[in-house]
Amino acid sequence: MFTRRNVLEGAIASGAFASPLAAAMRFDRRAPGFDITLPGGGVVPVFVDAAEPASVRRVAADLAADIGRVLGTPARIVNDRRLLPARFILVGTLGNSPLVDQLVMAGKLDVADIRGKWESFTVQTIAQPMPGVTEALVVVGSDRRGAIYGAYDLSRSMGVSPWYWWADVPVVRRSQLRLAHGHYVQGPPAVKYRGIFLNDEAPCLSGWTTEKFGGMNAQFYAKLFELMLRLRANYLWPAMWNNAFAIDDPANPALADDYGIVMGTSHHEPMMRAHKEWTDNQQHYGNGEWNYATNRAAIRQFFDEGIKRNAGNEVVVTVGMRGDGDVALESTGSLQSDVKLLEEVIGDQRRIIADGMHMPADKVPQVWVLFTEVYKYYDAGLKLPDDVTIMFADDNVGNLRRLPLPSERGRSGGFGIYFHMDMHGGPFAYQWINSNPLPKIWEQMNLANQYGANEIWIANVGDLKPLELPIEFFLAMAWNPADVGKDKIARWTCDWAERQFGTEHADEIAFLAARYAKYNALPKPEKITPGTYSLEHYGEAERVCEAWAGLVRRADAVDAALRPDQRDAFYQLVLYPIRACANLTQMYVAAARNARFAEQARASTRIEADEVRRRFRTDHDLRDTYNHVMAGGKWNHMMDQTHIGYFDWYPPIADIMPPVADLDLDNASGFGVAVDGDSRSWPGYYLPPALPTLDSISRRPTWLEVFPRGNGAAPFTVTADQPWVTIREGKAFSASPRDRRFWIDIDWAKAPEGKSSGTVTIAGEAVVKAQLTAIRATAQQEREARGAFGGLAGEFSVPVTAFTRSVAVDGVRWEAIPDYGRVDAAMSIFPVDAPSFADPARAPRLDYAIYLAAAGEYRVELVTSPTLEVIPGRKLSIAVGLNDKAPVVQTVFTPQDAAAQDFLGAKQAVNTANNARTMHFNVMADRAGRHTLKVCMIDPTVVIQSIIVSNEEPKKTYFGPPAADHLAAPTGA
């Protein structure tokens, strides 16, 4: 949180980090303030006391360098008070800087808002702070990281992005810097320990660090630590795939402490030791078995060495024990005996910690991470010391598995969350590109915060790049969740874009960055196959491809408008992901067309095969630009991750182009016809083609495509036998210009009322007759359907935000989460920790107006998020009803289905791949006409993305039918 005193009007920034400094920084002298520039072109010096910790002295030097990045002249560092000029910047901490303490004692410096608080800081301008000094700009931390964050906040307000090195974001040069007079306060953070986990780092990060630094040594970690602190992170699990932080470079642990970074180790590496340290040296430890039951003394020695090595460092010690590597603990025979052994392990570890750290164990921060199988030990009643933080993990795909119960929240160690933005493991690997939409991160981490899991947040970020945006969002949310609420995410993203690229294109860049991540989660790129999107129904594959193509066009336009020095940053942060992911999607769709066209005997089959090959080469060209051309090859290897052709959960050894088919066209001739909604072609199939039924309420057109089946010309005509049928030519969804599409629609003013039939004839060397049915509503039907969703034929979709009424109960209500999942906005229950409602008839609900063509049974599908049973016993129930009939309740985690829906279950694997779960309800309509569909809350934490209604077997599509007012939406929701 922050407060403000005596700040000029408009000084509070709306930007990321909610920094009150950002809008208080002036780049001219038109308003009063503290001048960082001096008359004649110099800059004020930065004073830091020699008694300050190394981390504070270092950040003062970074601030001085940042002033140089902006003004062209770095600030001079002063350590001797006798050399202080009339104006200077002071960086210090309470209790470490005699000058800071003197200013406090003299009443010149107000630290009441930060004293005794964790990682808090104040920035103040002080007139006449001491004899001989006219004015000082003072950055004071409650502790060393408070001072660090304050100094970097000042840098950020001057225009130095945290990503100036890590994403080549240029710093805009200025001739003047002036901070409005005032008293600015920040902190403490909402989450005490906020960090990242470098993981799955081969081949990208490991290849890059080897080339650039010679390995994951102190040179590399110095760059990483600076970035983390600029992002207000304080906690790191270091790289551990064939890496060992303290062994790869013995200077690493001391460097971390010099920077002020709290070190830890991953969920399966207890007691500050890397797993590689065991595998490389296990022959020196007893019988070499990583088994506490059979090699206890040797493993205790291994633990003891890790703690003693870190005795002087600030750490959070991971306790507990898993198996040898990232696997389950070897069982002792039963769950209860395993629990007993783990309690002994943790008890021994506590004694080792106390001895090695020379203080009581409860004074040393510790965490026990409930990853994968470890949950079962906690659920079985494992007794854990109260001061140890319990860290719940997600399902490896960003869905939390557990949250603290009210009865658990009084623990002094609290609770934390281990969150994934990258994964090499079940249910599937995703390591290539950012596929983490910010609204989804917000929704899950807001649950964590509201339910009290806010002692530690750590995110698995893989290679770090290219996850720049979600990393910064995750850490900003950990600092102050209120600054990035669900209705502020778009504004936060715009501010992020402005900080990297300036104001002119910020809105467009923010849209592009948010939208590509959204599309990438529809499914993740690694889960796309040629069969993902339907070629037959609702133009699904076509709309997805056009959505990506639209992003490419917009991104290319921004790229062309940017300054040359901004293009490397834009390529890595926005342009490469959009171009590469658009190309990947279009390649898979081209492979689907190739297979379908082969079945239809289209001559364009071969052209689609060429399109697949071209896009496969383009993928590698884009990768090579990222690795070798962008920023002069600075980021070589960062795009080495394979990502095409998954045949199991893990990445392929090399990218595998989708298989393609070819046809023998030597003796082929004539034309063929394909129709909307059908994979078959004519002439060929024994039954005549039938176009989808058209109705005057839905008013959707349909189409047919005519294509050559040989190398020669195949002339034809397309005609209709009814005057109310209209035909116009459009572009076929094909790589070949010889394929032609004809849109079929109805002139409803001419069509007779009720159901009518017509025929569309394609005539040439052969004759194909396609049957068409049209239903024109009566005047009464039109009146009843006005403003409602539905029609006279087929399934339909209802946008979840298009409710006619929202009913709140006792302050519990449905609210929209903008830009969530597949849709423009999803609906969820707020407050998120509301109690469950046993009776759906008396629960918060949403009413929707729908029009049903006939009486009978209808299938209602709620497309929800793949939320898990985060509160034990809360089974994720929701109810759907029609009009005043009793709502039908469906539950996700029933006794019969719980295992399949839970972590690594068969249904959960599908849900996470789709980033959605579909819940099915059956309702009975007693008549045709207008109805009220009711969605009633039972449990909180459910997020509804879309509603699909049908009285027939739903068509096999990824998204289902598009809503009537979302015809152009690429997702169809």
Side-chain angles (χ1 to χ4, degrees):
M1 65 185 206
F2 68 87
T3 60
R4 176 198 64 177
R5 298 178 186 172
N6 304 321
V7 182
L8 296 178
E9 183 178 358
I12 290 185
S14 63
F17 296 97
S19 169
L21 293 179
M25 184 62 67
R26 307 285 186 257
F27 300 108
D28 54 47
R29 294 183 172 177
R30 287 180 293 184
F34 179 90
D35 270 324
I36 295 175
T37 47
L38 293 172
V43 299
V44 298
V46 174
F47 176 84
V48 60
D49 201 289
E52 288 285 0
S55 56
V56 177
R57 299 196 306 273
R58 188 200 55 73
V59 82
D62 276 0
L63 176 60
D66 287 344
I67 290 172
R69 291 184 175 99
V70 177
L71 295 172
T73 302
R76 179 169 52 94
I77 296 292
V78 178
N79 304 117
D80 189 340
R81 289 178 57 182
R82 294 171 297 180
L83 302 178
L84 285 175
R87 297 174 60 256
F88 65 94
I89 299 172
L90 166 62
V91 178
T93 53
L94 292 176
N96 285 320
S97 171
L99 182 52
V100 167
D101 293 343
Q102 177 184 325
L103 292 174
V104 174
M105 289 291 293
K108 299 283 188 177
L109 180 60
D110 183 358
V111 294
D113 291 325
I114 69 168
R115 187 183 294 278
K117 295 181 180 178
W118 177 262
E119 296 181 346
S120 302
F121 66 86
T122 180
V123 178
Q124 299 179 35
T125 56
I126 304 177
Q128 307 294 328
M130 61 192 72
V133 177
T134 306
E135 188 178 25
L137 174 59
V138 182
V139 181
V140 178
S142 60
D143 51 29
R144 61 175 179 161
R145 277 190 296 277
I148 291 168
Y149 298 144
Y152 281 141
D153 208 20
L154 190 58
S155 290
R156 195 161 41 246
S157 70
M158 294 187 300
V160 180
S161 166
W163 300 98
Y164 79 94
W165 190 87
W166 276 94
D168 304 298
V169 175
V171 178
V172 176
R173 293 292 288 271
R174 307 284 187 176
S175 60
Q176 301 289 335
L177 281 179
R178 173 177 283 188
L179 186 73
H181 292 131
H183 174 163
Y184 312 87
V185 179
Q186 282 261 7
V191 178
K192 186 172 185 180
Y193 295 105
R194 311 162 305 282
I196 60 174
F197 175 24
L198 299 180
N199 192 216
D200 314 327
E201 64 267 21
C204 300
L205 186 64
S206 57
W208 176 75
T209 54
T210 298
E211 177 179 306
K212 303 302 179 184
F213 300 106
M216 294 190 182
N217 53 27
Q219 288 180 279
F220 160 67
Y221 277 109
K223 292 291 188 184
L224 178 68
F225 294 157
E226 180 190 333
L227 172 69
M228 291 176 62
L229 293 170
R230 286 181 184 269
L231 295 173
R232 292 186 185 160
N234 61 6
Y235 180 47
L236 177 69
W237 289 358
M240 46 70 63
W241 267 27
N242 201 36
N243 291 288
F245 180 74
I247 303 301
D248 294 342
D249 187 341
N252 283 340
L255 182 77
D257 203 61
D258 282 349
Y259 268 77
I261 294 294
V262 182
M263 291 303 301
T265 47
S266 74
H267 53 83
H268 73 100
E269 299 177 299
M271 302 293 278
M272 302 305 298
R273 301 217 69 171
H275 181 245
K276 180 178 168 61
E277 294 185 68
W278 177 264
T279 57
D280 285 359
N281 299 282
Q282 64 193 87
Q283 68 273 15
H284 301 304
Y285 292 98
N287 60 21
E289 296 178 355
W290 184 256
N291 187 321
Y292 212 70
T294 62
N295 198 24
R296 181 175 307 210
I299 294 175
R300 287 186 60 181
Q301 176 190 343
F302 183 75
F303 291 162
D304 183 67
E305 291 167 357
I307 295 301
K308 287 180 176 176
R309 186 172 64 198
N310 287 276
N313 299 333
E314 190 176 5
V315 296
V316 175
V317 180
T318 298
V319 297
M321 188 172 175
R322 295 184 65 216
D324 189 2
D326 196 358
V327 298
L329 184 73
E330 186 174 342
S331 179
T332 57
S334 72
L335 179 59
Q336 287 307 315
S337 62
D338 292 344
V339 168
K340 183 176 184 300
L341 178 66
L342 271 174
E343 289 176 345
E344 293 174 4
V345 168
I346 294 171
D348 289 347
Q349 288 171 337
R350 301 268 288 177
R351 286 185 283 273
I352 292 169
I353 290 168
D355 291 344
M357 293 288 188
H358 310 296
M359 65 179 73
D362 61 7
K363 301 301 181 184
V364 179
Q366 296 153 64
V367 62
W368 183 45
V369 187
L370 276 61
F371 182 73
T372 309
E373 81 291 338
V374 182
Y375 278 87
K376 66 183 180 184
Y377 306 123
Y378 182 67
D379 292 340
L382 185 146
K383 295 181 177 62
L384 193 72
D386 193 65
D387 61 278
V388 177
T389 301
I390 296 173
M391 179 177 280
F392 295 129
D394 66 1
D395 64 348
N396 303 339
V397 199
N399 303 294
L400 302 185
R401 292 180 61 190
R402 179 75 150 78
L403 290 169
L405 294 167
S407 60
E408 297 171 319
R409 295 180 201 169
R411 307 183 72 263
S412 61
F415 292 85
I417 295 294
Y418 172 34
F419 188 82
H420 284 79
M421 300 180 186
D422 168 282
M423 184 61 189
H424 182 92
F428 55 85
Y430 57 103
Q431 300 166 243
W432 171 46
I433 203 77
N434 176 29
S435 55
N436 300 278
L438 303 188
K440 175 64 181 288
I441 296 174
W442 178 86
E443 183 258 330
Q444 288 292 289
M445 298 313 296
N446 179 60
L447 291 179
N449 182 58
Q450 295 297 327
Y451 279 83
N454 48 22
E455 183 73 10
I456 306 174
W457 286 6
I458 194 161
N460 186 324
V461 300
D463 301 302
L464 186 75
K465 296 178 72 67
L467 300 180
E468 296 94 342
L469 178 57
I471 288 171
E472 185 164 346
F473 180 83
F474 179 87
L475 294 172
M477 192 174 177
W479 181 266
N480 187 1
D483 288 339
V484 283
K486 65 182 175 67
D487 298 313
K488 299 178 182 178
I489 297 171
R491 182 67 256 168
W492 185 94
T493 311
C494 286
D495 292 333
W496 173 88
E498 182 176 334
R499 191 165 60 254
Q500 319 312 320
F501 301 103
T503 58
E504 185 176 358
H505 304 289
D507 287 350
E508 181 71 351
I509 291 171
F511 168 82
L512 293 168
R515 189 52 55 97
Y516 94 73
K518 181 185 186 77
Y519 289 174
N520 268 350
L522 291 174
K524 294 182 183 292
E526 293 84 352
K527 296 301 291 181
I528 299 175
T529 70
T532 297
Y533 302 118
S534 174
L535 292 172
E536 286 73 47
H537 302 297
Y538 307 122
E540 184 173 80
E542 186 173 358
R543 289 183 298 116
V544 169
C545 287
E546 177 50 37
W548 274 115
L551 280 193
V552 172
R553 289 191 294 270
R554 294 175 69 165
D556 286 348
V558 172
D559 183 57
L562 290 174
R563 303 191 314 266
D565 67 333
Q566 295 176 311
R567 287 181 178 160
D568 284 339
F570 186 68
Y571 190 84
Q572 57 199 281
L573 293 174
V574 180
L575 188 58
Y576 170 77
I578 288 176
R579 285 180 176 173
C581 295
N583 180 75
L584 181 86
T585 302
Q586 290 161 339
M587 179 191 67
Y588 278 119
V589 172
R593 288 198 304 256
N594 168 260
R596 178 69 72 245
F597 289 3
E599 294 171 1
Q600 295 173 345
R602 294 200 194 198
S604 53
T605 297
R606 185 171 296 171
I607 296 176
E608 295 294 347
D610 291 341
E611 177 74 355
V612 173
R613 296 185 186 98
R614 182 183 73 83
R615 290 196 176 276
F616 187 72
R617 291 192 300 270
T618 297
D619 178 88
H620 290 181
D621 290 342
L622 292 167
R623 173 202 65 191
D624 291 345
T625 298
Y626 192 111
N627 280 345
H628 304 307
V629 178
M630 182 188 75
K634 177 180 176 180
W635 302 108
N636 187 30
H637 298 297
M638 277 296 193
M639 280 302 128
D640 284 358
Q641 179 63 58
T642 58
H643 52 276
I644 302 174
Y646 276 65
F647 55 87
D648 209 324
W649 65 262
Y650 51 85
I653 301 300
D655 286 329
I656 306 168
M657 191 187 81
V660 293
D662 202 354
L663 293 179
D664 180 3
L665 301 177
D666 290 345
N667 299 311
S669 64
F671 67 81
V673 177
V675 302
D676 185 7
D678 203 320
S679 63
R680 296 167 297 199
S681 65
W682 292 265
Y685 192 66
Y686 70 99
L687 295 176
L691 291 159
T693 299
L694 305 182
D695 76 274
S696 63
I697 293 177
S698 298
R699 291 186 178 250
R700 297 182 187 277
T702 186
W703 54 262
L704 57 82
E705 289 186 350
V706 186
F707 46 83
R709 281 179 161 165
N711 291 319
F716 63 89
T717 59
V718 181
T719 58
D721 67 346
Q722 298 295 336
W724 39 266
V725 177
T726 65
I727 300 173
R728 62 178 176 84
E729 186 167 357
K731 187 179 184 302
F733 188 44
S734 168
S736 171
R738 299 178 68 201
D739 293 354
R740 298 168 66 184
R741 174 176 290 186
F742 296 87
W743 286 97
I744 314 299
D745 207 347
I746 307 299
D747 183 343
W748 293 108
K750 295 179 180 178
E753 199 172 88
K755 183 182 290 187
S756 303
S757 297
T759 301
V760 178
T761 301
I762 305 93
E765 183 178 305
V767 176
V768 175
K769 293 182 179 293
Q771 303 303 309
L772 175 66
T773 300
I775 307 174
R776 179 180 171 182
T778 65
Q780 180 179 347
Q781 288 173 322
E782 290 280 1
R783 285 193 298 272
E784 288 189 20
R786 189 169 296 121
F789 291 88
L792 298 174
E795 59 183 344
F796 63 91
S797 179
V798 182
V800 291
T801 54
F803 51 86
T804 57
R805 186 185 183 198
S806 177
V807 178
V809 178
D810 298 333
V812 182
R813 64 212 174 272
W814 291 93
E815 287 186 9
I817 304 177
D819 203 28
Y820 186 95
R822 304 177 171 200
V823 290
D824 290 341
M827 297 297 294
S828 190
I829 285 292
F830 291 87
V832 294
D833 56 352
S836 297
F837 283 75
D839 183 359
R842 292 179 169 82
R845 78 169 193 270
L846 297 169
D847 292 351
Y848 299 90
I850 63 173
Y851 184 86
L852 302 179
E857 186 174 66
Y858 283 81
R859 176 188 177 105
V860 178
E861 294 183 343
L862 296 188
V863 179
T864 74
S865 293
T867 311
L868 298 177
E869 190 182 351
V870 292
I871 298 297
R874 186 180 289 166
K875 303 300 183 181
L876 281 189
S877 297
I878 194 167
V880 169
L882 199 62
N883 303 321
D884 294 328
K885 294 181 180 178
V888 177
V889 177
Q890 293 288 357
T891 299
V892 175
F893 292 96
T894 62
Q896 300 79 16
D897 217 22
Q901 292 279 6
D902 207 355
F903 177 61
L904 297 184
K907 292 186 178 180
Q908 196 252 0
V910 175
N911 296 338
T912 53
N914 293 338
N915 202 18
R917 173 190 287 119
T918 301
M919 300 181 69
H920 306 284
F921 302 79
N922 291 321
V923 297
M924 186 65 69
D926 56 6
R927 56 178 171 77
R930 190 183 187 95
H931 297 265
T932 299
L933 182 70
K934 299 179 178 181
V935 177
C936 308
M937 171 201 173
I938 301 294
D939 291 322
T941 74
V942 174
V943 183
I944 309 173
Q945 299 190 47
S946 59
I947 304 169
I948 299 171
V949 181
S950 177
N951 63 349
E952 58 189 29
E953 184 66 25
K955 295 178 174 63
K956 292 183 179 180
T957 62
Y958 194 80
F959 298 113
D965 60 344
H966 285 61
L967 288 175
T971 61

